[in-house]
């Protein structure tokens, strides 16, 4: 029996769309001296402000956004995330660092080239929608095309298509003032989609919405991403939203990225106390995949029991195990990677390590680029290691029978 | 925690610091005076400190008159401006006459219908017909023609300036103080400079109107362009719009409300000025009122005054409806409106009914004058117990205006400057104080100290009455919804009427003199003061009021301890507005026996003695500046309870 809930997104490739390195944005008098001077750039925000009168909104940030992934930048208000996303298309001019889109240097672009980038390659969805109140829904959606010089009938036709796509048929003639918050953001989304951008940038798009509407909109984004596979950069201050939508999450604090990794890595192995505090109340079983609770299968277990996919969450495995009353097999393309049982699943929920720490290298969790694309299992192994630290158990010596699962093929010779 | 403790300690010490600072300012001023005292002597402004501008101004005015037909500046620039204005006004006037009374009424009604619906259309038609019925069709069309040209020019000039100020920070910084100052100057101050250049006549009237009416358009255009929702502009930019696209598709449409409000204000100010400009040859309704007032013919003044009020109300309501922004069901398209108008005009022409039929005129001048005569006989004086209106005016003059004027003139001139400095510094900053003192000193230097203090005494008396009545009514309106609802339509009408019109009823009631001028000023300034006070009190933080109520504060305690202190800024604004508006009408009161600076201006115009008029005009500007700066609160003061 295979659970059908598709929890995680289609796999992403490693090819970067946006590549950001050493990015700084400093507000204040003579901002360029701050990144240039190692002494100034090492100061804490309060010290920097009193010494120079400057505020560093983004401090030395580097990351890659891969093609087709949902890259979430998350942080509390004032952490610099909104500034960061505006730097990507130079709505805010960065102070230092490099940004490239498909290998082309964004900071070196002239005005025409930059307009070209904004018109065709990156479109943004805003927190307060940013709709033109004097235009109808249809004309708002068509606005990006109008800017590009697309003829009236063609742009209206295309706009109508996207109005339908976000579920606003029949409202084309209304004005933004006559719509609810959720509907307005659908218009904002349709406007961004209508220009067929390579990347969609979301700046806290659902923060101003009611919780139920917000969930609808998140599902809408998930659906659109599944259907079109468009690259998205998503800014949010809501951890559950980040975990729900993100393929990878960059967690920001005071302008710095404190951890970058998959949701599982962020929850499973927080890089520092700040992140740990942040993710403390996350229902771990919803985020962690079965890999975190997996142990090698005994010979008799490889053929029986419910099957779950490796990308299934612990919560799904719990359901399967509870229904069947026996350990569940983790199956990947007909191979049994291992099994999960009551004990290990409960261990993950409780945040207590029941699997032994892996011999796998404890690579810096913040180094997101190191996370292998196929590495759910590796990630799980690291998550296990993180758990060990978390529960303050010194970790059992390598070589105990209950090792963390090494990559599948070695332990699962049999087909189902 | 450090960041938390700093502001609390600051708020705790703020009141003491404030007191100290106020005391310090006064101490410093006192010291300066004590040092200078031996050098100064009392009495009015000393003669040896005045500079007589009469000669140079007379020379300049003579030169202009001599060279108006020969100098290249007049021949190639000002002459063309003048001719263009005359040509445009005449063209509009002829067009209005060609359309005939029927055509104009229909066009007005259809325009009102287009913007405001059937009720407004009916009101507009009734207003136009009333103008005709009062026998004022031709003067109404003259005023309208002048208005149309002046408003078009004002809107063009204002919108261009506003566009510049909206897009360029530097231009905005340069323009703002100029526009702010222009807004506080009385209309009368603008008349003489244009007369000096253009002579008395329609061009001078139109240009004075444009100078007076363009600032609100410029201010509101700049405000609208600057006030656009930044996230919308960011969204537009994120889609890759060019600057031009951003301006045309986002900034200007987003500023629509402000632009139409600017149009509305410009039209109202243009009407106000077009009426006052009768003094410099505008003709039309204003001229009829002016002539009638000069011979104290209240009936004739009223017959011309009513069309002015009707015109004001109609123009205000139609433009306000256009700026309302709510989308209405489409009533009638422009092509239809124009077609109907042309058809009606042609029909009227074929029937030979272009001019208002003589038999339809209602002579109200006679009965009104009879009523005024009756009032003069029965109400002016000798009414038992309450006395008569003329008695009141006389008492007001002898018991209030005279003592205030004599007191001001008795004060040594330097102590007047000191008072101005102290007041302005306590309410504002040293900058506003310096401007105020310099403006006051300039009045002395110009040699018009005494008439200026006379005007000032009238302003002070009128402001005192206005504030007492205005604050009381404002508090009542803020505390009771019923009073507010009852007052609203009254205030609406009063705020749209041009200043000139207020002179008519006060002359009927009180005769001529200083008291009627003060009464007109009070009536003119009262609506604004009431409105600002009521609004300020109503906008007080509801949570603060609720918490006071929950602690068991009585209505009186809520008013004195919560509402009034929290509405302090609104109250100061009400004082400032009251002073500015009162001054404007007190000056015009010179036409009905108010004397002082207003009379000097009118006298200068009537006698062709431009030097006297210009000096008086300059003194008006200085007085306006001084009064505005003295009552201008600043943002820099630490806010209480922050």
């Amino acid at each position: 029996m295979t659970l059908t809930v598709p929890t995680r997104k289609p796999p992403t490739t490693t090819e970067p769309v946006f590549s950001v390195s050493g990015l700084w944005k400093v507000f204040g008098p003579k901002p360029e001296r701050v990144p240039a001077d190692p002494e100034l750039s090492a100061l804490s925000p309060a010290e920097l402000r009193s010494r120079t009168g400057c505020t560093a909104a983004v401090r030395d940030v580097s990351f890659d956004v891969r093609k087709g992934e949902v890259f979430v930048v998350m942080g509390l208000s004032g952490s610099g995330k909104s500034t960061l996303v505006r730097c990507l298309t130079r709505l805010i001019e960065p102070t230092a660092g490099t940004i490239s889109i498909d290998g082309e240097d964004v900071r070196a672009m002239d005005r025409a080239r930059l307009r070209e980038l904004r018109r065709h390659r990156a479109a943004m969805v805003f927190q307060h929608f940013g709709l033109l109140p004097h235009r109808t829904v249809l004309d708002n959606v068509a606005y990006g095309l109008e800017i590009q010089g697309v003829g009236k009938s063609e742009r209206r036709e295309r706009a109508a298509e996207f109005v339908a796509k976000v579920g606003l048929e029949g409202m084309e003639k209304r004005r933004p003032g006559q719509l609810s918050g959720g509907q307005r953001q659908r218009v904002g989304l349709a406007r961004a989609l209508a220009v067929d951008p390579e990347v969609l940038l979301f700046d806290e798009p659902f923060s101003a919405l009611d919780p139920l509407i917000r969930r609808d909109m998140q599902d809408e984004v998930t659906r659109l991403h599944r259907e079109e596979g468009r690259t998205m950069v998503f800014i949010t201050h809501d951890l559950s939203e980040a975990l729900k939508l993100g393929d990878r999450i960059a967690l920001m604090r005071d302008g710095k990225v404190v951890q970058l990794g998959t949701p599982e890595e962020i929850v499973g192995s927080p890089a520092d106390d700040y992140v740990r505090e942040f993710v403390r109340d996350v229902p771990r079983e919803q985020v962690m995949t079965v890999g975190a609770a997996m142990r090698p299968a005994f010979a008799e277990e490889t053929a029986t029991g419910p099957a779950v996919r490796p990308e299934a969450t612990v919560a799904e495995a719990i359901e399967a195990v509870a229904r069947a009353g026996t350990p569940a097999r983790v199956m990947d393309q007909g191979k049994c990677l291992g099994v999960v049982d009551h004990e290990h699943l409960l261990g993950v929920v409780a945040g207590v390590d029941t699997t032994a720490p892996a011999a796998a290298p404890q690579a810096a969790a913040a180094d997101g680029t190191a996370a292998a694309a196929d590495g759910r299992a590796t990630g799980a192994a690291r998550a296990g290691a993180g758990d060990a630290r978390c529960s303050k158990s010194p970790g059992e010596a390598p070589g105990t029978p209950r090792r963390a699962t090494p990559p599948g093929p070695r332990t699962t010779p049999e087909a189902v | 925690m450090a960041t938390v403790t700093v502001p609390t300690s600051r708020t705790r010490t703020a009141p003491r610091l404030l007191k100290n600072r106020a005391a310090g300012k006064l101490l410093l001023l006192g010291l300066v005076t004590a040092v200078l005292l031996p050098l100064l002597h009392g009495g009015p402004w000393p003669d040896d400190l005045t500079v007589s501008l009469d000669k140079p101004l007379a020379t300049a005015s003579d030169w202009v008159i001599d060279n108006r037909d020969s100098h290249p500046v007049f021949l190639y620039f000002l002459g063309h401006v003048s001719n263009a204005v005359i040509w445009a006004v005449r063209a509009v006037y002829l067009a209005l006459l060609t359309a005939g009374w029927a055509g104009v009424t229909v066009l007005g009604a259809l325009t009102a219908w287009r913007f405001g619906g059937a009720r407004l259309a009916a009101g507009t038609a009734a207003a136009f017909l009333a103008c005709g019925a009062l026998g004022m069709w031709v003067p109404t069309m003259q005023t309208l023609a002048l208005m149309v040209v002046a408003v078009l020019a004002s809107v063009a000039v204002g919108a261009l300036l506003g566009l510049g100020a909206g897009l360029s920070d530097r231009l905005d910084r340069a323009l703002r103080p100029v526009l702010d100052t222009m807004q506080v100057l009385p209309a009368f101050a603008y008349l003489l400079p244009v007369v000096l250049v253009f002579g008395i006549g329609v061009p001078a009237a139109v240009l004075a109107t444009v100078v007076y009416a363009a600032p609100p358009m410029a201010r509101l255009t700049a405000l609208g362009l600057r006030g656009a929702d930044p996230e919308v502009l960011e969204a537009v930019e994120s889609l890759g719009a060019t600057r031009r696209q951003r301006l045309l598709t986002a900034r200007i449409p987003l500023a629509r409300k402000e632009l139409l409000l600017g149009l509305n204000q410009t039209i109202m100010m243009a009407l106000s000025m077009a009426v006052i400009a009768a003094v410099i040859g505008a003709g039309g309704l204003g001229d009829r009122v002016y002539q009638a007032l000069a011979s104290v013919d209240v009936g004739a003044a009223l017959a011309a005054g009513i069309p002015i009020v009707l015109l004001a109300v109609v123009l205000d309501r139609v433009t306000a409806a256009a700026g309302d922004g709510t989308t209405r069901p489409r009533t009638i398209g422009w092509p239809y409106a124009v077609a109907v108008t042309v058809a009606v005009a042609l029909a009227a022409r074929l029937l030979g009914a272009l001019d208002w039929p003589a038999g339809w005129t209602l002579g109200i001048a006679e009965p009104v004058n009879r009523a005024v005569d009756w009032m003069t006989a029965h109400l002016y004086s000798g009414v038992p117990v309450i006395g008569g209106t003329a008695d009141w005016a006389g008492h007001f003059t002898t018991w209030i205006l005279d003592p205030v004027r004599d007191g001001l003139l008795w004060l040594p001139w330097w102590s007047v400057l000191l008072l101005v400095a102290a007041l302005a510094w306590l309410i504002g900053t040293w900058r506003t104080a310096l401007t105020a003192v310099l403006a006051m000193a300039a009045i002395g230097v110009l040699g018009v100290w005494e008439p200026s203090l006379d005007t000032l005494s009238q302003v002070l008396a009128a402001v005192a009455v206005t504030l007492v009545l205005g604050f009381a009514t404002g508090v009542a309106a803020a505390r009771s919804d019923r009073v507010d609802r009852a007052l609203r339509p009254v205030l609406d009408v009063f705020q749209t009427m041009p200043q000139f019109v207020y002179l008519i009823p006060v002359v009927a009631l009180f005769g001529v003199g200083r008291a009627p001028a003060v009464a007109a000023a009070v009536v003119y300034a009262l609506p604004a003061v009431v409105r600002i006070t009521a609004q300020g009190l109503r906008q007080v933080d509801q949570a603060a009021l609720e918490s006071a109520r929950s602690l068991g504060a009585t209505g009186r305690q809520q008013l004195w301890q919560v509402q009034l202190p929290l509405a302090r800024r609104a109250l100061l604004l009400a004082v400032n507005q009251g002073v500015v508006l009162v001054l404007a009408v007190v000056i015009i009161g010179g036409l009905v026996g108010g004397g002082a600076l207003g009379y000097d201006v009118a006298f200068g115009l009537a006698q062709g003695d431009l030097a006297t008029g210009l000096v008086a005009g300059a003194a008006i500007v200085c007085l306006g500046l001084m009064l505005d700066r003295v009552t201008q609160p600043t943002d820099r003061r630490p806010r209480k309870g922050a």
Side-chain angles (χ1 to χ4, degrees):
Chain A
M1 169 189 128
T2 308
L3 286 175
T4 51
V5 193
T7 49
R8 299 248 68 102
K9 328 263 160 16
T12 55
T13 63
T14 50
E15 182 189 339
V17 178
F18 269 116
S19 180
V20 174
S21 88
L23 190 74
W24 281 81
K25 175 62 199 180
V26 182
F27 294 103
K30 285 191 261 168
E32 59 290 338
R33 69 199 149 129
V34 177
D37 183 346
E39 190 198 346
L40 285 179
S41 57
L43 290 176
S44 77
E47 283 170 337
L48 185 67
R49 176 176 273 280
S50 66
R51 279 268 297 272
T52 63
C54 289
T55 314
V58 177
R59 302 166 76 99
D60 195 16
V61 167
S62 306
F63 60 82
D64 285 343
V65 178
R66 298 173 197 147
K67 200 167 185 58
E69 77 171 337
V70 178
F71 186 87
V72 174
V73 179
M74 114 126 240
L76 300 181
S77 59
S79 61
K81 55 194 190 302
S82 288
T83 310
L84 175 64
V85 74
R86 281 167 174 73
C87 285
L88 292 182
T89 57
R90 278 173 58 196
L91 287 174
I92 292 178
E93 204 63 50
T95 311
T98 59
I99 305 167
S100 60
I101 179 165
D102 295 329
E104 186 182 355
D105 188 355
V106 174
R107 290 196 67 202
M109 287 179 177
D110 61 7
R111 281 167 85 144
R113 192 80 191 117
L114 189 60
R115 264 205 305 275
E116 178 68 12
L117 161 70
R118 290 175 184 166
R119 284 182 180 183
H120 298 290
R121 293 161 80 178
M124 195 154 164
V125 179
F126 291 86
Q127 182 177 4
H128 299 290
F129 326 128
L131 302 179
L132 294 164
H134 57 285
R135 290 173 170 240
T136 60
V137 167
L138 191 66
D139 284 339
N140 261 296
V141 174
Y143 184 70
L145 299 169
E146 184 183 336
I147 292 286
Q148 296 173 13
V150 178
K152 192 165 189 171
S153 57
E154 188 192 342
R155 68 173 186 249
R156 288 211 159 162
E157 200 175 305
R158 266 163 72 184
E161 186 186 314
F162 284 97
V163 169
K165 190 161 202 156
V166 296
L168 288 178
E169 291 126 312
M171 300 196 184
E172 289 90 346
K173 289 275 170 276
R174 296 206 193 169
R175 284 171 202 269
Q178 298 165 301
L179 300 180
S180 69
Q183 289 169 336
R184 281 185 224 183
Q185 195 54 290
R186 282 171 197 268
V187 178
L189 187 57
R191 179 176 65 183
L193 286 171
V195 298
D196 191 23
E198 198 179 334
V199 189
L200 272 175
L201 308 173
F202 293 86
D203 178 29
E204 299 206 36
F206 309 141
S207 309
L209 305 180
D210 291 338
L212 288 181
I213 313 278
R214 193 183 311 162
R215 203 171 61 197
D216 279 353
M217 293 299 295
Q218 286 164 355
D219 293 343
E220 186 81 23
V221 167
T222 311
R223 181 177 69 83
L224 283 170
H225 185 246
R226 223 180 20 241
E227 285 173 7
E228 305 190 337
R230 213 183 288 273
T231 314
M232 296 181 178
V233 177
F234 198 101
I235 308 294
T236 181
H237 66 244
D238 179 355
L239 181 63
S240 62
E241 187 169 87
L243 295 172
K244 181 172 176 182
L245 297 175
D247 290 318
R248 288 189 305 145
I249 299 172
L251 213 146
M252 284 185 77
R253 182 195 190 187
D254 292 339
K256 279 185 187 149
V257 171
V258 289
Q259 185 169 5
L260 194 159
T262 62
E264 201 170 347
E265 284 164 352
I266 299 263
V267 173
S269 48
D272 61 11
D273 288 343
Y274 179 73
V275 183
R276 190 166 302 127
E277 193 59 25
F278 220 103
V279 300
R280 199 177 61 179
D281 294 332
V282 173
R284 302 160 57 81
E285 70 278 8
Q286 311 266 348
V287 179
M288 307 297 285
T289 54
V290 288
M294 198 159 67
R295 63 169 169 76
F298 299 121
E300 70 278 13
E301 288 173 332
T302 53
T304 58
V308 294
R309 289 176 300 104
E311 63 268 23
T313 61
V314 168
E316 288 158 358
I318 288 174
E319 193 189 344
V321 170
R323 281 184 196 283
T326 60
R329 294 170 299 153
V330 181
M331 304 295 289
D332 185 23
Q333 292 169 352
K335 293 174 185 161
C336 178
L337 304 179
V339 295
V340 287
D341 57 20
H342 292 87
E343 188 191 350
H344 287 81
L345 289 170
L346 281 174
V348 172
V349 173
V352 178
D353 181 42
T354 48
T355 59
Q362 296 206 356
D367 182 12
T369 51
D374 64 337
R376 293 293 176 198
T378 321
R382 263 198 271 127
D387 284 348
R389 272 187 285 140
C390 199
S391 54
K392 293 195 180 74
S393 70
E396 293 164 59
T400 44
R402 288 191 283 165
R403 284 177 54 119
T405 330
R410 267 190 285 163
T411 48
T412 54
E414 278 134 294
V416 179
Chain B
M1 281 314 283
T3 50
V4 178
T5 49
V6 170
T8 48
S9 67
R10 194 182 291 157
T11 48
R12 200 176 301 137
T13 55
R16 206 189 306 149
L17 202 71
L18 196 68
K19 255 181 227 155
N20 285 347
R21 204 189 289 163
K25 286 175 179 175
L26 290 179
L27 207 65
L28 189 64
L29 282 175
L31 265 175
V32 170
T33 324
V35 172
L36 291 177
L37 199 56
L39 304 172
L40 307 169
H41 49 88
W45 191 271
D47 285 340
D48 42 341
L49 282 184
T50 61
V51 177
S52 174
L53 289 177
D54 285 359
K55 268 232 181 74
L57 281 175
T59 323
S61 133
D62 287 345
W63 182 89
V64 170
I65 291 166
D66 290 344
N67 290 286
R68 199 171 274 153
D69 298 324
S70 54
H71 196 274
V73 173
F74 289 98
L75 275 184
Y76 298 113
F77 176 61
L78 296 175
H80 288 308
V81 172
S82 173
N83 289 337
V85 168
I86 292 176
W87 180 86
V89 171
R90 184 161 299 160
V92 175
Y93 179 58
L94 288 179
L96 288 171
L97 285 191
T98 313
W101 62 270
V104 172
T105 306
V106 166
L107 182 63
L110 289 180
T111 308
W113 193 25
R114 177 80 178 78
F115 287 128
R119 268 185 64 185
L120 194 58
T124 306
F128 274 113
L129 294 178
C131 294
L134 288 167
M136 287 292 155
W137 187 259
V138 172
T140 307
M141 289 307 109
Q142 285 170 346
T143 299
L144 208 56
L146 193 139
M147 283 270 303
V148 168
V149 174
V151 165
L152 288 180
S154 306
V155 167
V157 171
L160 276 180
L161 285 177
L163 200 62
L167 299 181
S168 145
D169 285 339
R170 197 181 297 168
L171 191 60
D172 187 50
R173 271 198 301 275
L175 215 52
R176 188 174 298 201
V178 179
L179 294 178
D180 282 351
T181 306
M182 286 178 83
Q183 201 112 341
V184 305
L185 295 184
F188 245 46
Y190 292 105
L191 298 179
L192 276 151
V194 284
V195 168
L196 178 66
V197 178
F198 290 98
I200 286 181
V202 170
V206 169
L207 288 171
T209 308
V210 170
V211 173
Y212 186 65
M217 189 73 206
R219 282 169 63 109
L220 282 160
T221 307
L223 190 75
L225 289 180
R226 292 189 164 266
D229 183 351
E231 199 174 39
V232 175
L233 293 184
E234 195 176 32
V236 170
E237 200 184 343
S238 82
L239 288 165
T242 59
R243 283 174 68 92
R244 193 188 146 82
Q245 284 174 327
R246 191 152 41 127
L247 181 67
L248 292 179
T249 60
R251 292 187 85 157
I252 290 182
L254 287 174
R256 179 174 182 271
K257 212 178 163 130
E258 281 82 5
L259 291 176
L260 285 166
L261 185 62
L263 178 68
N264 173 281
Q265 289 204 2
T266 292
I267 289 179
M268 298 325 288
M269 292 188 75
L271 178 61
S272 180
M273 190 64 172
V275 173
I276 291 172
V279 186
I280 57 169
L285 293 170
D287 194 45
R288 299 294 179 101
V289 176
Y290 180 49
Q291 302 293 350
L293 282 180
S295 53
V296 200
D297 182 352
V298 175
L302 200 63
I306 291 173
I308 295 177
V309 173
L310 292 176
L311 211 52
V313 172
V314 163
L315 287 172
D316 179 55
R317 295 298 180 274
V318 173
T319 48
D324 199 10
T326 51
T327 43
R328 283 195 195 75
R330 290 179 69 87
T331 45
I332 181 168
W334 284 119
Y336 291 107
V338 172
V340 170
T341 308
V342 169
V344 170
L346 281 178
R349 160 145 298 206
L350 291 177
L351 292 173
L354 270 186
D355 297 329
W356 185 268
W360 295 7
T361 309
L362 207 63
I364 66 157
E366 274 306 303
V368 167
N369 276 340
R370 266 202 301 283
V372 171
D373 286 344
W374 182 86
M375 269 170 49
T376 317
H378 295 88
L379 294 181
Y380 263 34
S381 65
V383 179
V385 187
I386 55 165
T389 52
D391 290 349
W392 296 346
H395 291 325
F396 189 77
T397 310
T398 40
W399 290 344
I400 296 178
L401 287 177
D402 284 347
V404 172
R405 180 180 63 179
D406 296 346
L408 281 175
L409 285 173
W410 169 82
L411 281 177
W413 59 273
W414 48 265
S415 67
V416 174
L417 292 189
L418 201 64
L419 269 174
V420 167
L423 265 178
W425 205 6
L426 286 182
I427 296 179
T429 60
W430 65 269
R431 272 167 206 276
T432 57
L434 192 65
T435 321
V437 170
L438 286 180
M440 202 65 207
I443 289 173
V445 172
L446 286 169
V448 282
W449 186 255
E450 291 190 21
S452 299
L453 286 194
D454 189 358
T455 300
L456 185 59
S457 72
Q458 295 176 35
V459 170
L460 290 181
V463 166
V465 176
T466 309
L467 291 186
V468 169
L469 294 178
F471 283 162
T473 321
V475 167
R479 293 173 69 81
S480 149
D481 285 333
R482 200 187 300 164
V483 175
D484 191 44
R485 266 200 306 277
L487 273 179
R488 189 169 299 158
V490 181
L491 295 183
D492 279 346
V493 172
F494 273 57
Q495 276 197 317
T496 53
M497 285 205 277
Q499 303 151 356
F500 213 55
V501 173
Y502 287 90
L503 296 178
I504 302 169
V506 295
V507 167
L509 271 179
F510 303 115
V512 292
R514 281 182 289 154
V518 168
V522 170
V523 178
Y524 181 66
L526 206 49
V529 173
V530 170
R531 193 153 263 181
I532 297 171
T533 309
Q535 233 164 42
L537 288 178
R538 275 180 183 269
Q539 277 166 6
V540 161
D541 183 10
Q542 283 303 309
L545 203 58
E546 199 169 28
S547 69
R549 211 177 301 138
S550 78
L551 289 168
T554 62
R556 178 180 291 268
Q557 283 170 327
Q558 285 171 37
L559 179 66
W560 286 100
Q561 292 166 2
V562 183
Q563 285 180 303
L564 288 179
L566 286 183
R568 180 173 167 274
R569 287 190 66 77
L571 298 184
L572 282 175
L573 180 67
V575 173
N576 182 267
Q577 282 292 298
V579 168
V580 167
L581 296 175
V582 159
L583 176 68
V585 176
V586 162
I587 298 286
I588 295 172
L591 295 177
V592 293
L597 291 176
Y599 176 75
D600 285 352
V601 172
F603 175 82
L605 284 169
Q607 303 293 317
D609 179 4
L610 291 189
T612 310
L614 277 171
V615 168
I620 293 172
V621 169
C622 292
L623 206 58
L625 261 181
M626 187 277 281
L627 285 168
D628 177 59
R629 292 302 187 270
V630 163
T631 53
Q632 195 168 65
T634 49
D635 295 318
R636 292 222 313 232
R637 289 165 71 86
R639 229 161 280 160
K640 283 178 184 168

